[in-house]
mmCIF file of all heavy atoms in Angstrom:
data_model
loop_
_atom_site.group_PDB
_atom_site.id
_atom_site.type_symbol
_atom_site.label_atom_id
_atom_site.label_comp_id
_atom_site.label_asym_id
_atom_site.label_seq_id
_atom_site.Cartn_x
_atom_site.Cartn_y
_atom_site.Cartn_z
ATOM 1 N N THR A 504 -7.080 -21.923 -6.124
ATOM 2 C CA THR A 504 -6.544 -20.595 -5.775
ATOM 3 C C THR A 504 -5.633 -20.180 -6.890
ATOM 4 O O THR A 504 -5.186 -20.914 -7.673
ATOM 5 C CB THR A 504 -5.799 -20.495 -4.523
ATOM 6 O OG1 THR A 504 -4.497 -21.210 -4.617
ATOM 7 C CG2 THR A 504 -6.585 -21.079 -3.344
ATOM 8 N N ILE A 505 -5.369 -18.809 -6.926
ATOM 9 C CA ILE A 505 -4.331 -18.352 -7.871
ATOM 10 C C ILE A 505 -3.299 -17.447 -7.057
ATOM 11 O O ILE A 505 -3.740 -17.011 -6.071
ATOM 12 C CB ILE A 505 -4.958 -17.513 -9.078
ATOM 13 C CG1 ILE A 505 -5.506 -16.320 -8.570
ATOM 14 C CG2 ILE A 505 -5.757 -18.368 -9.914
ATOM 15 C CD1 ILE A 505 -4.687 -15.020 -8.618
ATOM 16 N N THR A 506 -2.109 -17.242 -7.620
ATOM 17 C CA THR A 506 -1.306 -16.269 -7.052
ATOM 18 C C THR A 506 -1.261 -15.095 -8.011
ATOM 19 O O THR A 506 -1.028 -15.369 -9.298
ATOM 20 C CB THR A 506 0.170 -16.913 -6.845
ATOM 21 O OG1 THR A 506 0.001 -17.950 -5.948
ATOM 22 C CG2 THR A 506 1.051 -15.873 -6.242
ATOM 23 N N PHE A 507 -1.527 -13.904 -7.624
ATOM 24 C CA PHE A 507 -1.540 -12.794 -8.425
ATOM 25 C C PHE A 507 -0.244 -11.833 -8.217
ATOM 26 O O PHE A 507 0.027 -11.524 -7.192
ATOM 27 C CB PHE A 507 -2.724 -11.898 -8.116
ATOM 28 C CG PHE A 507 -2.930 -10.650 -8.870
ATOM 29 C CD1 PHE A 507 -3.131 -10.626 -10.277
ATOM 30 C CD2 PHE A 507 -2.806 -9.333 -8.279
ATOM 31 C CE1 PHE A 507 -3.270 -9.408 -11.032
ATOM 32 C CE2 PHE A 507 -2.840 -8.133 -8.919
ATOM 33 C CZ PHE A 507 -3.091 -8.291 -10.319
ATOM 34 N N TYR A 508 0.432 -11.643 -9.339
ATOM 35 C CA TYR A 508 1.703 -10.972 -9.252
ATOM 36 C C TYR A 508 1.358 -9.609 -9.895
ATOM 37 O O TYR A 508 0.845 -9.501 -11.043
ATOM 38 C CB TYR A 508 2.871 -11.558 -10.124
ATOM 39 C CG TYR A 508 3.270 -12.908 -9.551
ATOM 40 C CD1 TYR A 508 2.612 -14.050 -9.882
ATOM 41 C CD2 TYR A 508 4.158 -12.952 -8.509
ATOM 42 C CE1 TYR A 508 2.932 -15.296 -9.361
ATOM 43 C CE2 TYR A 508 4.607 -14.265 -7.978
ATOM 44 C CZ TYR A 508 3.863 -15.362 -8.513
ATOM 45 O OH TYR A 508 4.234 -16.707 -7.926
ATOM 46 N N HIS A 509 1.740 -8.493 -9.250
ATOM 47 C CA HIS A 509 1.478 -7.125 -9.799
ATOM 48 C C HIS A 509 2.849 -6.427 -9.695
ATOM 49 O O HIS A 509 3.415 -6.331 -8.602
ATOM 50 C CB HIS A 509 0.597 -6.451 -8.782
ATOM 51 C CG HIS A 509 0.098 -5.065 -9.259
ATOM 52 N ND1 HIS A 509 -0.810 -4.339 -8.545
ATOM 53 C CD2 HIS A 509 0.517 -4.286 -10.270
ATOM 54 C CE1 HIS A 509 -1.125 -3.239 -9.129
ATOM 55 N NE2 HIS A 509 -0.331 -3.138 -10.237
ATOM 56 N N GLN A 510 3.350 -6.180 -10.844
ATOM 57 C CA GLN A 510 4.884 -5.748 -10.972
ATOM 58 C C GLN A 510 4.965 -4.592 -11.936
ATOM 59 O O GLN A 510 4.041 -4.315 -12.749
ATOM 60 C CB GLN A 510 5.674 -6.845 -11.496
ATOM 61 C CG GLN A 510 5.621 -8.188 -10.614
ATOM 62 C CD GLN A 510 6.236 -9.317 -11.267
ATOM 63 O OE1 GLN A 510 5.571 -10.104 -12.131
ATOM 64 N NE2 GLN A 510 7.457 -9.598 -11.158
ATOM 65 N N GLU A 511 6.067 -3.898 -11.775
ATOM 66 C CA GLU A 511 6.492 -2.876 -12.816
ATOM 67 C C GLU A 511 8.009 -2.753 -12.775
ATOM 68 O O GLU A 511 8.602 -2.635 -11.646
ATOM 69 C CB GLU A 511 5.842 -1.523 -12.419
ATOM 70 C CG GLU A 511 5.975 -0.488 -13.595
ATOM 71 C CD GLU A 511 4.906 0.366 -13.847
ATOM 72 O OE1 GLU A 511 3.929 0.429 -13.009
ATOM 73 O OE2 GLU A 511 4.976 1.169 -14.816
ATOM 74 N N LYS A 512 8.533 -2.607 -13.946
ATOM 75 C CA LYS A 512 9.919 -2.396 -14.085
ATOM 76 C C LYS A 512 9.998 -0.954 -14.620
ATOM 77 O O LYS A 512 9.452 -0.539 -15.550
ATOM 78 C CB LYS A 512 10.569 -3.277 -15.182
ATOM 79 C CG LYS A 512 10.716 -4.675 -14.685
ATOM 80 C CD LYS A 512 11.377 -5.508 -15.772
ATOM 81 C CE LYS A 512 11.435 -6.969 -15.296
ATOM 82 N NZ LYS A 512 12.086 -7.778 -16.370
ATOM 83 N N PHE A 513 10.814 -0.194 -13.872
ATOM 84 C CA PHE A 513 11.086 1.322 -14.171
ATOM 85 C C PHE A 513 12.408 1.439 -14.656
ATOM 86 O O PHE A 513 13.431 0.884 -14.234
ATOM 87 C CB PHE A 513 10.775 2.168 -12.946
ATOM 88 C CG PHE A 513 9.483 2.061 -12.446
ATOM 89 C CD1 PHE A 513 9.198 1.289 -11.335
ATOM 90 C CD2 PHE A 513 8.428 2.986 -12.983
ATOM 91 C CE1 PHE A 513 7.977 1.280 -10.750
ATOM 92 C CE2 PHE A 513 7.063 2.833 -12.466
ATOM 93 C CZ PHE A 513 6.777 2.075 -11.272
ATOM 94 N N SER A 514 12.553 2.337 -15.683
ATOM 95 C CA SER A 514 13.827 2.772 -16.229
ATOM 96 C C SER A 514 13.818 4.183 -16.617
ATOM 97 O O SER A 514 12.770 4.720 -16.765
ATOM 98 C CB SER A 514 14.290 1.809 -17.285
ATOM 99 O OG SER A 514 13.356 1.888 -18.374
ATOM 100 N N GLY A 515 15.035 4.706 -16.922
ATOM 101 C CA GLY A 515 15.141 6.068 -17.451
ATOM 102 C C GLY A 515 15.907 6.932 -16.395
ATOM 103 O O GLY A 515 16.235 6.631 -15.364
ATOM 104 N N ILE A 516 16.404 8.078 -17.019
ATOM 105 C CA ILE A 516 17.113 9.004 -16.132
ATOM 106 C C ILE A 516 16.499 9.670 -14.974
ATOM 107 O O ILE A 516 17.186 10.188 -14.123
ATOM 108 C CB ILE A 516 17.831 10.095 -17.133
ATOM 109 C CG1 ILE A 516 16.799 10.880 -17.763
ATOM 110 C CG2 ILE A 516 18.615 9.422 -18.188
ATOM 111 C CD1 ILE A 516 17.295 12.120 -18.709
ATOM 112 N N LEU A 517 15.152 9.652 -14.909
ATOM 113 C CA LEU A 517 14.499 10.240 -13.753
ATOM 114 C C LEU A 517 14.260 9.390 -12.638
ATOM 115 O O LEU A 517 13.817 9.729 -11.583
ATOM 116 C CB LEU A 517 13.187 10.920 -14.247
ATOM 117 C CG LEU A 517 13.199 12.008 -15.169
ATOM 118 C CD1 LEU A 517 11.722 12.481 -15.576
ATOM 119 C CD2 LEU A 517 14.027 13.126 -14.704
ATOM 120 N N ILE A 518 14.645 8.044 -12.781
ATOM 121 C CA ILE A 518 14.437 7.074 -11.661
ATOM 122 C C ILE A 518 15.033 7.650 -10.389
ATOM 123 O O ILE A 518 14.346 7.556 -9.289
ATOM 124 C CB ILE A 518 15.015 5.810 -11.988
ATOM 125 C CG1 ILE A 518 14.297 5.018 -13.078
ATOM 126 C CG2 ILE A 518 15.145 4.725 -10.820
ATOM 127 C CD1 ILE A 518 12.875 4.832 -12.860
ATOM 128 N N PRO A 519 16.190 8.140 -10.238
ATOM 129 C CA PRO A 519 16.702 8.584 -8.901
ATOM 130 C C PRO A 519 15.842 9.620 -8.158
ATOM 131 O O PRO A 519 15.669 9.660 -7.061
ATOM 132 C CB PRO A 519 18.133 9.115 -9.296
ATOM 133 C CG PRO A 519 18.651 8.450 -10.401
ATOM 134 C CD PRO A 519 17.265 8.275 -11.341
ATOM 135 N N ILE A 520 15.146 10.475 -9.096
ATOM 136 C CA ILE A 520 14.239 11.471 -8.635
ATOM 137 C C ILE A 520 12.965 10.998 -7.889
ATOM 138 O O ILE A 520 12.541 11.458 -6.897
ATOM 139 C CB ILE A 520 13.915 12.540 -9.656
ATOM 140 C CG1 ILE A 520 15.259 13.306 -9.986
ATOM 141 C CG2 ILE A 520 12.892 13.651 -9.171
ATOM 142 C CD1 ILE A 520 15.098 14.128 -11.352
ATOM 143 N N PHE A 521 12.522 9.913 -8.483
ATOM 144 C CA PHE A 521 11.224 9.230 -8.175
ATOM 145 C C PHE A 521 11.360 8.056 -7.321
ATOM 146 O O PHE A 521 10.476 7.585 -6.857
ATOM 147 C CB PHE A 521 10.443 8.935 -9.417
ATOM 148 C CG PHE A 521 9.958 10.130 -10.228
ATOM 149 C CD1 PHE A 521 10.405 10.296 -11.425
ATOM 150 C CD2 PHE A 521 9.118 11.074 -9.697
ATOM 151 C CE1 PHE A 521 10.001 11.542 -12.212
ATOM 152 C CE2 PHE A 521 8.606 12.173 -10.360
ATOM 153 C CZ PHE A 521 9.105 12.291 -11.721
ATOM 154 N N ARG A 522 12.619 7.600 -7.069
ATOM 155 C CA ARG A 522 12.752 6.386 -6.395
ATOM 156 C C ARG A 522 12.002 6.280 -4.998
ATOM 157 O O ARG A 522 11.222 5.337 -4.697
ATOM 158 C CB ARG A 522 14.343 6.043 -5.996
ATOM 159 C CG ARG A 522 14.557 4.793 -5.374
ATOM 160 C CD ARG A 522 16.059 4.417 -5.189
ATOM 161 N NE ARG A 522 16.582 4.308 -6.496
ATOM 162 C CZ ARG A 522 16.664 3.062 -7.257
ATOM 163 N NH1 ARG A 522 15.994 2.076 -6.837
ATOM 164 N NH2 ARG A 522 17.294 3.061 -8.397
ATOM 165 N N LYS A 523 12.087 7.228 -4.208
ATOM 166 C CA LYS A 523 11.419 7.100 -2.767
ATOM 167 C C LYS A 523 9.955 7.107 -3.004
ATOM 168 O O LYS A 523 9.336 6.310 -2.203
ATOM 169 C CB LYS A 523 11.906 8.373 -1.948
ATOM 170 C CG LYS A 523 13.270 8.285 -1.446
ATOM 171 C CD LYS A 523 13.538 9.317 -0.309
ATOM 172 C CE LYS A 523 14.890 9.104 0.164
ATOM 173 N NZ LYS A 523 15.088 9.892 1.402
ATOM 174 N N LYS A 524 9.481 7.841 -3.934
ATOM 175 C CA LYS A 524 7.965 7.887 -4.147
ATOM 176 C C LYS A 524 7.493 6.545 -4.586
ATOM 177 O O LYS A 524 6.585 5.929 -4.126
ATOM 178 C CB LYS A 524 7.542 8.907 -4.935
ATOM 179 C CG LYS A 524 6.065 9.046 -5.192
ATOM 180 C CD LYS A 524 5.609 10.168 -5.954
ATOM 181 C CE LYS A 524 4.127 10.372 -6.103
ATOM 182 N NZ LYS A 524 3.706 11.542 -6.817
ATOM 183 N N LEU A 525 8.310 5.896 -5.570
ATOM 184 C CA LEU A 525 7.966 4.553 -6.019
ATOM 185 C C LEU A 525 8.000 3.509 -4.961
ATOM 186 O O LEU A 525 7.185 2.656 -5.002
ATOM 187 C CB LEU A 525 8.923 4.205 -7.204
ATOM 188 C CG LEU A 525 8.880 5.034 -8.489
ATOM 189 C CD1 LEU A 525 9.994 4.794 -9.439
ATOM 190 C CD2 LEU A 525 7.556 4.945 -9.181
ATOM 191 N N GLU A 526 9.051 3.617 -4.168
ATOM 192 C CA GLU A 526 9.247 2.640 -3.023
ATOM 193 C C GLU A 526 8.121 2.704 -1.994
ATOM 194 O O GLU A 526 8.005 1.781 -1.275
ATOM 195 C CB GLU A 526 10.699 2.702 -2.498
ATOM 196 C CG GLU A 526 11.774 2.247 -3.453
ATOM 197 C CD GLU A 526 13.154 2.562 -2.916
ATOM 198 O OE1 GLU A 526 13.368 3.382 -2.018
ATOM 199 O OE2 GLU A 526 14.037 1.953 -3.417
ATOM 200 N N SER A 527 7.532 3.823 -1.790
ATOM 201 C CA SER A 527 6.649 3.999 -0.823
ATOM 202 C C SER A 527 5.100 4.091 -1.462
ATOM 203 O O SER A 527 4.406 3.041 -1.186
ATOM 204 C CB SER A 527 6.781 5.233 0.081
ATOM 205 O OG SER A 527 6.833 6.424 -0.737
ATOM 206 N N GLN A 528 4.822 5.186 -1.994
ATOM 207 C CA GLN A 528 3.471 5.310 -2.499
ATOM 208 C C GLN A 528 3.028 4.262 -3.580
ATOM 209 O O GLN A 528 1.912 3.890 -3.572
ATOM 210 C CB GLN A 528 3.239 6.692 -2.972
ATOM 211 C CG GLN A 528 3.294 7.790 -1.999
ATOM 212 C CD GLN A 528 3.091 9.172 -2.460
ATOM 213 O OE1 GLN A 528 3.134 9.423 -3.767
ATOM 214 N NE2 GLN A 528 3.027 10.204 -1.513
ATOM 215 N N THR A 529 3.920 4.071 -4.501
ATOM 216 C CA THR A 529 3.588 3.207 -5.571
ATOM 217 C C THR A 529 3.503 1.717 -5.042
ATOM 218 O O THR A 529 2.444 0.983 -5.415
ATOM 219 C CB THR A 529 4.575 3.121 -6.748
ATOM 220 O OG1 THR A 529 4.684 4.612 -7.168
ATOM 221 C CG2 THR A 529 4.108 2.269 -7.910
ATOM 222 N N VAL A 530 4.269 1.255 -4.194
ATOM 223 C CA VAL A 530 4.205 -0.039 -3.542
ATOM 224 C C VAL A 530 2.894 -0.134 -2.666
ATOM 225 O O VAL A 530 2.158 -1.132 -2.791
ATOM 226 C CB VAL A 530 5.334 -0.397 -2.657
ATOM 227 C CG1 VAL A 530 5.210 -1.618 -1.752
ATOM 228 C CG2 VAL A 530 6.573 -0.519 -3.559
ATOM 229 N N GLN A 531 2.552 0.933 -2.031
ATOM 230 C CA GLN A 531 1.327 1.017 -1.320
ATOM 231 C C GLN A 531 0.057 0.848 -2.181
ATOM 232 O O GLN A 531 -0.917 0.196 -1.829
ATOM 233 C CB GLN A 531 1.143 2.224 -0.340
ATOM 234 C CG GLN A 531 2.204 2.333 0.830
ATOM 235 C CD GLN A 531 2.277 3.561 1.434
ATOM 236 O OE1 GLN A 531 1.504 4.522 1.124
ATOM 237 N NE2 GLN A 531 3.071 3.746 2.510
ATOM 238 N N GLY A 532 0.085 1.539 -3.345
ATOM 239 C CA GLY A 532 -0.972 1.604 -4.243
ATOM 240 C C GLY A 532 -1.131 0.082 -4.919
ATOM 241 O O GLY A 532 -2.316 -0.343 -4.984
ATOM 242 N N PHE A 533 -0.142 -0.526 -5.299
ATOM 243 C CA PHE A 533 -0.011 -1.940 -5.781
ATOM 244 C C PHE A 533 -0.722 -2.791 -4.683
ATOM 245 O O PHE A 533 -1.625 -3.590 -5.044
ATOM 246 C CB PHE A 533 1.285 -2.430 -5.971
ATOM 247 C CG PHE A 533 1.852 -1.913 -7.324
ATOM 248 C CD1 PHE A 533 1.540 -0.839 -7.928
ATOM 249 C CD2 PHE A 533 2.909 -2.677 -8.022
ATOM 250 C CE1 PHE A 533 2.153 -0.287 -9.193
ATOM 251 C CE2 PHE A 533 3.388 -2.402 -9.123
ATOM 252 C CZ PHE A 533 3.099 -1.217 -9.750
ATOM 253 N N ASN A 534 -0.351 -2.654 -3.511
ATOM 254 C CA ASN A 534 -0.854 -3.543 -2.460
ATOM 255 C C ASN A 534 -2.226 -3.266 -2.177
ATOM 256 O O ASN A 534 -3.054 -4.198 -1.994
ATOM 257 C CB ASN A 534 -0.018 -3.520 -1.044
ATOM 258 C CG ASN A 534 1.368 -4.296 -1.258
ATOM 259 O OD1 ASN A 534 1.433 -5.294 -1.833
ATOM 260 N ND2 ASN A 534 2.365 -3.760 -0.703
ATOM 261 N N ALA A 535 -2.737 -2.123 -2.249
ATOM 262 C CA ALA A 535 -4.100 -1.658 -2.029
ATOM 263 C C ALA A 535 -4.944 -2.356 -3.106
ATOM 264 O O ALA A 535 -6.100 -2.798 -2.913
ATOM 265 C CB ALA A 535 -4.175 -0.111 -1.883
ATOM 266 N N MET A 536 -4.408 -2.212 -4.321
ATOM 267 C CA MET A 536 -5.234 -2.710 -5.516
ATOM 268 C C MET A 536 -5.291 -4.268 -5.311
ATOM 269 O O MET A 536 -6.375 -4.789 -5.593
ATOM 270 C CB MET A 536 -4.510 -2.397 -6.772
ATOM 271 C CG MET A 536 -5.287 -3.039 -8.005
ATOM 272 S SD MET A 536 -4.370 -2.693 -9.511
ATOM 273 C CE MET A 536 -5.154 -4.023 -10.514
ATOM 274 N N ASN A 537 -4.160 -4.896 -4.943
ATOM 275 C CA ASN A 537 -4.231 -6.311 -4.927
ATOM 276 C C ASN A 537 -5.200 -6.726 -3.874
ATOM 277 O O ASN A 537 -6.018 -7.784 -4.079
ATOM 278 C CB ASN A 537 -2.725 -6.811 -4.327
ATOM 279 C CG ASN A 537 -1.585 -6.581 -5.359
ATOM 280 O OD1 ASN A 537 -2.031 -6.049 -6.538
ATOM 281 N ND2 ASN A 537 -0.494 -6.828 -4.997
ATOM 282 N N LYS A 538 -5.189 -6.235 -2.671
ATOM 283 C CA LYS A 538 -6.211 -6.508 -1.595
ATOM 284 C C LYS A 538 -7.714 -6.358 -2.019
ATOM 285 O O LYS A 538 -8.525 -7.107 -1.673
ATOM 286 C CB LYS A 538 -5.875 -5.718 -0.281
ATOM 287 C CG LYS A 538 -4.693 -6.153 0.370
ATOM 288 C CD LYS A 538 -4.365 -5.251 1.575
ATOM 289 C CE LYS A 538 -2.954 -5.533 2.156
ATOM 290 N NZ LYS A 538 -2.539 -4.661 3.154
ATOM 291 N N LYS A 539 -7.902 -5.296 -2.672
ATOM 292 C CA LYS A 539 -9.325 -4.967 -3.153
ATOM 293 C C LYS A 539 -9.694 -5.928 -4.307
ATOM 294 O O LYS A 539 -10.729 -6.490 -4.327
ATOM 295 C CB LYS A 539 -9.265 -3.520 -3.631
ATOM 296 C CG LYS A 539 -10.706 -3.030 -3.779
ATOM 297 C CD LYS A 539 -11.465 -2.992 -2.488
ATOM 298 C CE LYS A 539 -12.836 -2.472 -2.629
ATOM 299 N NZ LYS A 539 -13.713 -2.583 -1.468
ATOM 300 N N LEU A 540 -8.732 -6.261 -5.189
ATOM 301 C CA LEU A 540 -9.012 -7.264 -6.150
ATOM 302 C C LEU A 540 -9.424 -8.655 -5.462
ATOM 303 O O LEU A 540 -10.439 -9.261 -5.966
ATOM 304 C CB LEU A 540 -7.801 -7.435 -7.155
ATOM 305 C CG LEU A 540 -7.810 -8.728 -8.195
ATOM 306 C CD1 LEU A 540 -8.872 -8.228 -9.255
ATOM 307 C CD2 LEU A 540 -6.614 -8.729 -8.873
ATOM 308 N N LYS A 541 -8.680 -8.998 -4.573
ATOM 309 C CA LYS A 541 -8.848 -10.241 -3.797
ATOM 310 C C LYS A 541 -10.235 -10.240 -3.175
ATOM 311 O O LYS A 541 -11.228 -11.140 -3.315
ATOM 312 C CB LYS A 541 -7.845 -10.416 -2.811
ATOM 313 C CG LYS A 541 -8.024 -11.684 -1.821
ATOM 314 C CD LYS A 541 -7.013 -11.738 -0.791
ATOM 315 C CE LYS A 541 -7.287 -12.820 0.343
ATOM 316 N NZ LYS A 541 -7.128 -14.180 -0.322
ATOM 317 N N GLU A 542 -10.635 -9.153 -2.630
ATOM 318 C CA GLU A 542 -11.879 -8.907 -1.887
ATOM 319 C C GLU A 542 -13.044 -8.994 -2.814
ATOM 320 O O GLU A 542 -14.072 -9.710 -2.727
ATOM 321 C CB GLU A 542 -11.950 -7.619 -1.094
ATOM 322 C CG GLU A 542 -13.209 -7.335 -0.484
ATOM 323 C CD GLU A 542 -13.125 -5.848 0.196
ATOM 324 O OE1 GLU A 542 -12.168 -5.517 0.776
ATOM 325 O OE2 GLU A 542 -14.107 -5.072 -0.157
ATOM 326 N N VAL A 543 -12.896 -8.161 -3.902
ATOM 327 C CA VAL A 543 -13.956 -8.166 -5.025
ATOM 328 C C VAL A 543 -14.209 -9.568 -5.632
ATOM 329 O O VAL A 543 -15.344 -9.992 -5.804
ATOM 330 C CB VAL A 543 -13.683 -7.137 -6.019
ATOM 331 C CG1 VAL A 543 -14.495 -7.211 -7.326
ATOM 332 C CG2 VAL A 543 -13.765 -5.722 -5.389
ATOM 333 N N VAL A 544 -13.101 -10.159 -6.024
ATOM 334 C CA VAL A 544 -13.308 -11.457 -6.855
ATOM 335 C C VAL A 544 -13.827 -12.584 -5.816
ATOM 336 O O VAL A 544 -14.706 -13.239 -6.194
ATOM 337 C CB VAL A 544 -11.886 -11.863 -7.331
ATOM 338 C CG1 VAL A 544 -11.978 -13.285 -7.857
ATOM 339 C CG2 VAL A 544 -11.455 -10.998 -8.507
ATOM 340 N N GLU A 545 -13.210 -12.601 -4.660
ATOM 341 C CA GLU A 545 -13.700 -13.600 -3.667
ATOM 342 C C GLU A 545 -15.131 -13.490 -3.311
ATOM 343 O O GLU A 545 -15.892 -14.406 -3.169
ATOM 344 C CB GLU A 545 -12.813 -13.678 -2.445
ATOM 345 C CG GLU A 545 -11.497 -14.366 -2.738
ATOM 346 C CD GLU A 545 -10.507 -14.489 -1.612
ATOM 347 O OE1 GLU A 545 -10.858 -13.873 -0.470
ATOM 348 O OE2 GLU A 545 -9.348 -14.973 -1.821
ATOM 349 N N LYS A 546 -15.563 -12.219 -3.081
ATOM 350 C CA LYS A 546 -16.928 -11.948 -2.781
ATOM 351 C C LYS A 546 -17.878 -12.349 -3.939
ATOM 352 O O LYS A 546 -18.805 -12.841 -3.733
ATOM 353 C CB LYS A 546 -17.075 -10.440 -2.425
ATOM 354 C CG LYS A 546 -18.545 -10.034 -1.970
ATOM 355 C CD LYS A 546 -18.608 -8.675 -1.513
ATOM 356 C CE LYS A 546 -19.948 -8.320 -1.081
ATOM 357 N NZ LYS A 546 -20.104 -6.917 -0.683
ATOM 358 N N LYS A 547 -17.499 -12.009 -5.092
ATOM 359 C CA LYS A 547 -18.394 -12.222 -6.348
ATOM 360 C C LYS A 547 -18.426 -13.751 -6.655
ATOM 361 O O LYS A 547 -19.537 -14.121 -6.849
ATOM 362 C CB LYS A 547 -17.768 -11.514 -7.545
ATOM 363 C CG LYS A 547 -18.593 -11.548 -8.755
ATOM 364 C CD LYS A 547 -18.103 -10.887 -10.020
ATOM 365 C CE LYS A 547 -18.896 -11.027 -11.235
ATOM 366 N NZ LYS A 547 -18.328 -10.248 -12.287
ATOM 367 N N TYR A 548 -17.389 -14.475 -6.602
ATOM 368 C CA TYR A 548 -17.384 -15.797 -7.023
ATOM 369 C C TYR A 548 -17.382 -16.884 -5.825
ATOM 370 O O TYR A 548 -17.759 -17.921 -6.062
ATOM 371 C CB TYR A 548 -16.190 -16.015 -7.749
ATOM 372 C CG TYR A 548 -16.163 -15.341 -9.206
ATOM 373 C CD1 TYR A 548 -15.355 -14.222 -9.289
ATOM 374 C CD2 TYR A 548 -17.000 -15.672 -10.206
ATOM 375 C CE1 TYR A 548 -15.413 -13.503 -10.481
ATOM 376 C CE2 TYR A 548 -16.987 -15.067 -11.364
ATOM 377 C CZ TYR A 548 -16.214 -13.799 -11.569
ATOM 378 O OH TYR A 548 -16.234 -13.102 -12.667
ATOM 379 N N ASN A 549 -17.227 -16.425 -4.728
ATOM 380 C CA ASN A 549 -17.214 -17.301 -3.567
ATOM 381 C C ASN A 549 -18.361 -17.083 -2.539
ATOM 382 O O ASN A 549 -18.372 -17.664 -1.453
ATOM 383 C CB ASN A 549 -16.054 -17.410 -2.758
ATOM 384 C CG ASN A 549 -14.812 -17.843 -3.584
ATOM 385 O OD1 ASN A 549 -14.951 -18.598 -4.565
ATOM 386 N ND2 ASN A 549 -13.708 -17.252 -3.386
ATOM 387 N N SER A 550 -19.403 -16.285 -2.948
ATOM 388 C CA SER A 550 -20.352 -15.956 -1.965
ATOM 389 C C SER A 550 -21.213 -17.046 -1.483
ATOM 390 O O SER A 550 -21.855 -17.072 -0.408
ATOM 391 C CB SER A 550 -21.248 -14.806 -2.572
ATOM 392 O OG SER A 550 -21.816 -15.251 -3.755
#
């Protein structure tokens, strides 16, 4: 098995404006991608 880390460091003066969206939608997007990556890889290589 592997552990997959999906991360992003944000900086800049606009962070306060985008913080809520990053904490909700971006985190959801990362998790959705991670789950689909797991599904696709496991199906392809472990069938």
Side-chain angles (χ1 to χ4, degrees):
T504 70
I505 64 95
T506 302
F507 178 68
Y508 298 89
H509 187 176
Q510 304 167 271
E511 187 146 6
K512 289 182 184 178
F513 298 97
S514 60
I516 61 174
L517 294 179
I518 292 297
I520 295 168
F521 293 114
R522 182 175 295 278
K523 283 190 178 190
K524 185 174 183 176
L525 294 170
E526 291 174 341
S527 61
Q528 291 179 351
T529 303
V530 170
Q531 289 171 6
F533 280 26
N534 284 323
M536 178 184 158
N537 298 353
K538 288 176 187 173
K539 196 63 177 178
L540 176 66
K541 175 181 174 70
E542 178 185 313
V543 166
V544 170
E545 288 180 356
K546 183 177 180 181
K547 181 175 181 179
Y548 293 103
N549 296 330
S550 60

